[in-house]
Amino acid sequence: MTKTRENELAAHGFFWEEGLQFPLTKKETTALVSAALEEDDTKHDITTAATVLSNRRARCRLVSRHSGVIAGLPLACEAFEQLDRAVTMRIDHADGSRIEPQTPVMFLSGHARGLLSAERVALNFVQRLSGIATMTARYVDAIAGTGAHILDTRKTTPLYRRLEKYAVRCGGGLNHRMDLSSSVLVKDNHLATAEGDIAMAVKHARDLAPSGMKIEVECETLDQVRAALDAAVDVIMFDNMQLVDLREGVKLVDGRAVTEASGGVTLSTVRIIAETGVDWISIGALTHSAPALNLGLDFD
C-alpha cells in the first residue's frame, strides 16, 4: 500500500494515527493519576509513615528487568509529582525507546515518603502500557520487510483506549479506528441482520455516513470478497481465512481496496500472513492480552 493511500484513509478518519504525542491533556492526566493514587489510598500509607522519617530524602531509578519498549512515563511522572511537588526527575529513555535488561529508564530524587507511596501506581501504569508496546514491537519486527503493517483493534480496557492505542504506536504499530464514529466497518453480525446482503449494507452505509467516510467490510469467504469488490468498498478484511484463501483474496482485490487480515494471528503465524501480500494485519491481543513489562524502582 502506498503512502498516498495511507494518507487518503487517514484524512477521512478511517485510520487514526498521531505519532507518539501523548494522548491525554495535562488536566486529564492529573485527574486519572489522582484517581489512581486515591484508589491506593496513598494519603494513608501506614507502612511508609511508620518506617520512614518525614524529612528523609532518597534517590531511586526506574529499571527494566527485561528487554522491551517503554510507554506511559508521563503518567509515572505525574504520580511522583502529585506526592512530591519538589521531586526532580531525569528521563534517559523516553516513551517508544527500546531497552535491554537492567537499563535505567529514569532517575528520581525527592522526599522518600512521596517516592515510596507513588511507586506502585507509577509502576502499574508504565508496566501495563510498556507491555502493550513491547508485544506490538515483537509483531512489527516479525513482519519487517514485507510491506504489511500491524494494527490494533477496539478490544481495549474500558476508558483506557487512548492510552492503550498510544502504547501500540510506541511499539511501532498503527491504530485502526478509534471508535464507532471513525469509519464504517460492516462485520458478520451486521450482515446477519441485513440478510447477508453486502451490496445493500454498503449502500445504506453510504447513504447514512458522512461524505467521504471510508467503508470496510469483513469477509469470511471469497464470494464475500467478490461482493465487497463489486460494492467498491475501501477496505476488505479477510476474517479468519486460511492462507490459501488469503493469497487468493489478495489476488482478487488486486489493489482495488486496502486488504486486512484478522483473526487468530500469533507471533508464529504473522510473518507468513504478511507474506500473502495483505496491507494490514489487525491483532486484538496487542491490547487485551499483552503481559506487563517487568520494571522496578530501585533505591540507592
Side-chain angles (χ1 to χ4, degrees):
M1 180 176 54
T2 66
K3 190 64 178 178
T4 300
R5 182 60 169 157
E6 289 182 6
N7 290 340
E8 177 189 353
L9 291 174
H12 293 290
F14 182 86
F15 187 74
W16 194 86
E17 198 277 321
E18 294 182 356
L20 286 186
Q21 180 179 348
F22 191 68
L24 304 187
T25 65
K26 174 61 175 175
K27 182 177 180 180
E28 289 171 328
T29 302
T30 298
L32 175 62
V33 172
S34 177
L37 292 171
E38 182 177 355
E39 178 187 51
D40 209 25
D41 204 1
T42 54
K43 291 182 179 179
H44 302 98
D45 181 353
I46 297 172
T47 306
T48 297
T51 59
V52 180
L53 295 175
S54 61
N55 62 349
R56 179 69 183 271
R57 294 186 63 82
R59 293 185 302 177
C60 58
R61 58 201 174 278
L62 180 64
V63 178
S64 171
R65 311 300 191 203
H66 297 136
S67 61
V69 179
I70 293 297
L73 288 180
L75 296 165
C77 291
E78 179 68 24
F80 291 118
E81 287 177 340
Q82 285 196 23
L83 295 191
D84 179 6
R85 295 299 179 184
V87 67
T88 60
M89 296 175 286
R90 189 188 84 205
I91 295 175
D92 281 12
H93 297 279
D95 283 3
S97 299
R98 295 195 175 209
I99 53 173
E100 297 301 320
Q102 303 308 314
T103 300
V105 176
M106 67 183 294
F107 295 84
L108 304 100
S109 178
H111 292 292
R113 285 186 174 183
L115 294 173
L116 286 164
S117 295
E119 174 182 2
R120 178 42 52 198
V121 168
L123 287 174
N124 283 350
F125 279 125
V126 181
Q127 287 181 306
R128 167 63 180 160
L129 296 182
S130 296
I132 292 172
T134 298
M135 177 177 278
T136 302
R138 289 174 181 160
Y139 277 95
V140 170
D141 291 347
I143 65 166
T146 65
H149 295 286
I150 297 297
L151 275 67
D152 55 23
T153 70
R154 287 171 37 250
K155 296 176 182 178
T156 54
T157 306
L159 302 180
Y160 278 70
R161 179 169 296 167
R162 284 184 293 163
L163 288 171
E164 292 179 350
K165 282 180 171 283
Y166 164 75
V168 168
R169 298 197 300 278
C170 286
L174 301 176
N175 296 147
H176 209 294
R177 58 179 181 163
M178 175 56 68
D179 52 42
L180 291 171
S181 69
S182 300
S183 67
V184 173
L185 174 47
V186 181
K187 298 175 71 68
D188 56 347
N189 285 339
H190 298 108
L191 290 175
T193 60
E195 299 178 354
D197 192 331
I198 288 176
M200 180 181 69
V202 171
K203 180 182 183 304
H204 287 172
R206 285 206 174 98
D207 291 342
L208 193 63
S211 176
M213 179 172 280
K214 300 303 177 178
I215 296 177
E216 177 173 6
V217 172
E218 178 185 271
C219 298
E220 297 177 340
T221 68
L222 293 177
D223 283 341
Q224 287 182 326
V225 171
R226 295 183 181 94
L229 285 170
D230 289 342
V233 302
D234 301 285
V235 185
I236 295 177
M237 178 194 294
F238 305 128
D239 183 47
N240 283 294
M241 282 194 181
Q242 298 296 314
L243 284 172
V244 62
D245 289 333
L246 268 178
R247 295 188 186 96
E248 184 62 27
V250 171
K251 289 180 182 178
L252 279 172
V253 174
D254 193 27
R256 288 178 285 173
V258 174
T259 54
E260 174 184 349
S262 185
V265 181
T266 68
L267 275 171
S268 62
T269 62
V270 69
R271 178 81 190 186
I272 196 168
I273 291 172
E275 289 173 345
T276 65
V278 294
D279 299 307
W280 297 346
I281 303 174
S282 57
I283 305 168
L286 299 181
T287 50
H288 71 59
S289 296
L293 181 64
N294 190 353
L295 298 156
L297 201 63
D298 293 344
F299 281 73
D300 292 342

